């Protein structure tokens, strides 16, 4: 039987970052991942980091490549009614965001775990948690046909929305909150220069569109689509035409088209589970909450959970006190719900929900208000760059 202090299930950004921070602070851990390392390193996800996330990655000793390759954005644009309005994040909040793909964050974390000789077990299937209620939980898994067990003090469930950890908790011990949106995002990645220097979020009668990027030569674009859409119905030419129709003319003119190197459809949902600590199990990142991507909060929220949890665990092993681990759920949820609110609000403001023109008129009125009211646009900006971390 293997023995460790913290067994971490899942080697996504949450699990890897937690593992790295715990090891740097002398807390022993083992990471169990269902997929291969190559699979984990190639998943394409979002790409906007709050300064708090950047700081945590630097603290975890995985910030060097990010700091040299990231694009620092001091604002973004809102497109609506044929115009584009710049939200000046720097002027309104003093803060900025960093564009650096989650795929790259994951690669940096994987590389750092290898250098630090972290104990990572890939292709671990049939992960099962036992004894979470007592003082000696165990995690069972199968690898290469052999079943093994890890004895640990705590389990960190960093295994994403479809993971096994949340499902291991009796349903009566958890409360879930969920909203499913009646549309998805069709996204493409292409090696073409971005249409604009900054991101453009566009509200259009045909539906939402987003111009994003991974670098000055690689663009990421999205259009809102129906939940029943099939990728085969979206050859590149149709995607580019639809994208340009939904952007303000000035932006549409600067879109450079090219072959897509990735194309996918993702549904939009808001989901939160409470509490985040059940016995000796902690739920972290996508295992605990999902936000629609509009506010670019998914990875940032996951990092914020890790920040609270690693600190709590380090304090526990340093002092023997359970004060911080007992408060993990309450502290993390305070930030989570604010991000859930913001992501829901920004999604509601920018997407087409129905053919009802009343709804669109309300959106246009609110967007117009944002361009006129410093208070309103500051609220948007301070949520977008990330709310300050609370001390207690
Ligand atoms: N056993 C072992 N590993 C598992 C299991 C299981 N039963 N189920 C899932 N996993 C692994 C997945 O293969 C994945 O590598 O857990 C990992 C979870 O990673 P993510 O889904 O990326 O979740 P998280 O690390 O919390 O990252 C949050 O990802 O989806 C985005 O918007 C989200 O940016 C946010 C970030
Ligand atoms: C992305 O680049 O994938 C991206 C950027 C901003 C968002 C969502 C996704 O709000």
């Amino acid at each position: 039987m293997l023995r460790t202090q913290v067994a971490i299930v899942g080697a996504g950004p949450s699990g890897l970052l937690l593992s790295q921070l715990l090891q740097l602070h002398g807390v022993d851990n083992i990471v169990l991942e269902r997929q291969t390392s190559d699979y984990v390193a190639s998943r394409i996800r979002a790409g906007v980091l709050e300064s708090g996330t950047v700081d945590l990655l630097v603290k975890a000793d995985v910030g060097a490549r990010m700091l040299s390759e990231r694009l620092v954005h001091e604002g973004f644009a809102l497109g609506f009614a044929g115009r584009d309005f710049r939200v000046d994040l720097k002027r309104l909040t003093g803060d900025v965001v960093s564009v650096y793909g989650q795929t790259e964050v994951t690669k940096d974390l994987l590389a750092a775990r290898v250098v630090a000789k972290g104990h990572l077990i890939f292709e671990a299937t049939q992960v099962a948690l036992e004894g979470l209620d007592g003082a000696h939980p165990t995690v069972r898994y199968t690898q290469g046909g052999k079943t093994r067990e890890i004895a640990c003090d705590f389990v960190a469930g960093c295994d994403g929305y479809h993971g096994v950890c949340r499902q291991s908790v009796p349903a009566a011990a958890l409360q879930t909150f969920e909203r499913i949106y009646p549309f998805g995002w069709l996204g493409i990645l292409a090696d073409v220069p971005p249409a604009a220097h900054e991101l453009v979020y566009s509200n259009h009668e045909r539906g939402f569109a987003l111009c994003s990027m991974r670098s000055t030569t690689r663009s990421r674009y999205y259009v809102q689509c129906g939940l029943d859409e099939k990728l085969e119905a979206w050859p590149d030419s149709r995607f580019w035409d639809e994208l340009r129709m939904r952007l303000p003319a000035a932006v549409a003119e600067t879109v450079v088209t090219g072959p897509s190197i990735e194309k996918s459809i993702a549904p939009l949902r808001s989901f939160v589970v409470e509490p985040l600590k059940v016995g000796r199990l902690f739920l972290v990142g996508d295992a605990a909450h999902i936000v629609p991507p509009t506010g670019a909060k998914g990875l940032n929220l996951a990092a914020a959970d890790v920040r609270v949890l690693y600190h709590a665990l380090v304090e526990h092993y340093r002092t023997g006190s359970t004060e911080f681990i007992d408060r993990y759920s309450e502290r993390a949820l305070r930030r989570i719900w604010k991000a859930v609110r913001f992501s829901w609000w920004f999604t509601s403001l920018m997407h087409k929900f129905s053919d009802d023109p009343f709804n669109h008129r309300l959106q246009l009125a609110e967007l117009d208000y944002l361009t006129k009211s410093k208070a309103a646009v500051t609220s948007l900006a301070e949520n977008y760059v990330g709310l300050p971390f609370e001390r207690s």
Side-chain angles (χ1 to χ4, degrees):
M1 168 134 44
L2 291 164
R3 155 94 214 142
T4 191
Q5 290 174 309
V6 183
I8 299 173
V9 185
S14 302
L16 293 171
L17 182 57
L18 180 65
S19 170
Q20 174 77 358
L21 284 162
L22 289 178
Q23 186 178 344
L24 284 176
H25 290 81
V27 177
D28 188 56
N29 64 85
I30 298 178
V31 180
L32 280 177
E33 166 63 48
R34 187 172 51 179
Q35 305 286 356
T36 63
S37 162
D38 283 351
Y39 181 94
V40 168
S42 59
R43 265 191 305 237
I44 293 170
R45 295 264 176 81
V48 176
L49 308 183
E50 298 173 358
S51 298
T53 305
V54 167
D55 292 347
L56 193 64
L57 293 172
V58 169
K59 199 166 184 177
D61 248 352
V62 288
R65 190 165 72 98
M66 173 199 55
L67 290 178
S68 77
E69 292 182 13
R70 69 175 169 165
L71 303 174
V72 173
H73 282 197
E74 297 187 353
F76 66 85
L78 291 172
F80 65 101
R83 45 192 293 219
D84 58 302
F85 169 73
R86 181 166 186 266
V87 178
D88 190 333
L89 298 171
K90 183 77 188 290
R91 185 175 59 81
L92 294 165
T93 68
D95 203 352
V96 296
V97 292
S98 297
V99 171
Y100 187 71
Q102 180 172 323
T103 312
E104 305 312 311
V105 172
T106 308
K107 282 184 196 155
D108 295 345
L109 280 163
L110 280 169
R113 296 312 296 127
V114 171
V115 170
K117 299 197 167 41
H119 195 163
L120 274 66
I121 301 171
F122 288 95
E123 298 179 82
T125 59
Q126 296 172 53
V127 169
L129 316 183
E130 269 151 38
L132 293 171
D133 285 342
H136 305 289
T138 56
V139 181
R140 209 166 356 98
Y141 67 98
T142 301
Q143 193 198 32
K146 290 208 174 75
T147 297
R148 297 203 163 85
E149 245 176 34
I150 304 175
C152 56
D153 301 334
F154 299 100
V155 179
C158 301
D159 51 349
Y161 181 67
H162 299 286
V164 67
C165 291
R166 191 179 69 246
Q167 288 164 26
S168 308
V169 176
L174 295 177
Q175 194 176 2
T176 57
F177 304 84
E178 188 161 32
R179 168 136 327 173
I180 296 179
Y181 299 85
F183 42 73
W185 279 15
L186 167 61
I188 70 164
L189 197 61
D191 277 328
V192 291
H197 292 307
E198 296 176 341
L199 273 59
V200 182
Y201 292 83
S202 189
N203 172 306
H204 192 273
E205 279 162 341
R206 297 180 67 87
F208 171 75
L210 169 60
C211 307
S212 182
M213 65 192 76
R214 291 289 174 273
S215 68
T216 53
T217 56
R218 181 168 284 188
S219 300
R220 180 79 167 150
Y221 290 107
Y222 298 96
V223 293
Q224 175 185 347
C225 66
L227 283 172
D228 50 2
E229 296 274 1
K230 297 274 173 288
L231 276 180
E232 305 80 79
W234 286 91
D236 290 355
S237 57
R238 180 177 174 207
F239 182 90
W240 292 117
D241 288 346
E242 188 62 39
L243 175 73
R244 280 184 294 208
M245 275 191 270
R246 295 184 187 190
L247 298 175
V251 182
E253 278 164 21
T254 57
V255 170
V256 181
T257 64
S260 61
I261 51 176
E262 194 263 355
K263 194 184 283 168
S264 54
I265 295 179
L268 267 66
R269 106 176 41 235
S270 300
F271 171 86
V272 184
V273 68
E274 294 185 7
L276 303 183
K277 175 179 181 290
V278 184
R280 291 195 162 236
L281 169 69
F282 301 97
L283 295 171
V284 184
D286 275 17
H289 44 75
I290 297 287
V291 287
T294 325
K297 290 286 166 246
L299 175 59
N300 293 298
L301 260 194
D305 291 353
V306 169
R307 177 193 182 109
V308 178
L309 183 56
Y310 100 85
H311 177 252
L313 287 166
V314 169
E315 276 306 291
H316 172 68
Y317 284 109
R318 198 175 65 82
T319 65
S321 155
T322 61
E323 184 196 339
F324 287 102
I325 51 178
D326 289 341
R327 292 185 56 210
Y328 163 69
S329 184
E330 169 223 323
R331 293 185 71 202
L333 281 166
R334 248 188 285 155
R335 186 176 187 85
I336 290 162
W337 273 110
K338 292 191 189 88
V340 169
R341 186 211 68 83
F342 171 66
S343 305
W344 159 81
W345 172 80
F346 201 24
T347 301
S348 307
L349 179 66
M350 300 307 289
H351 289 74
K352 178 174 179 169
F353 279 75
S354 70
D355 287 324
D356 182 357
F358 183 78
N359 193 36
H360 194 224
R361 286 289 190 282
L362 289 183
Q363 291 177 334
L364 294 178
E366 186 158 5
L367 284 159
D368 191 36
Y369 171 58
L370 282 168
T371 70
K372 307 266 164 36
S373 161
K374 188 164 177 209
V377 76
T378 303
S379 169
L380 164 57
E382 66 190 18
N383 279 280
Y384 192 85
V385 298
L387 295 173
F389 285 94
E390 295 175 20
R391 287 234 147 254
S392 59

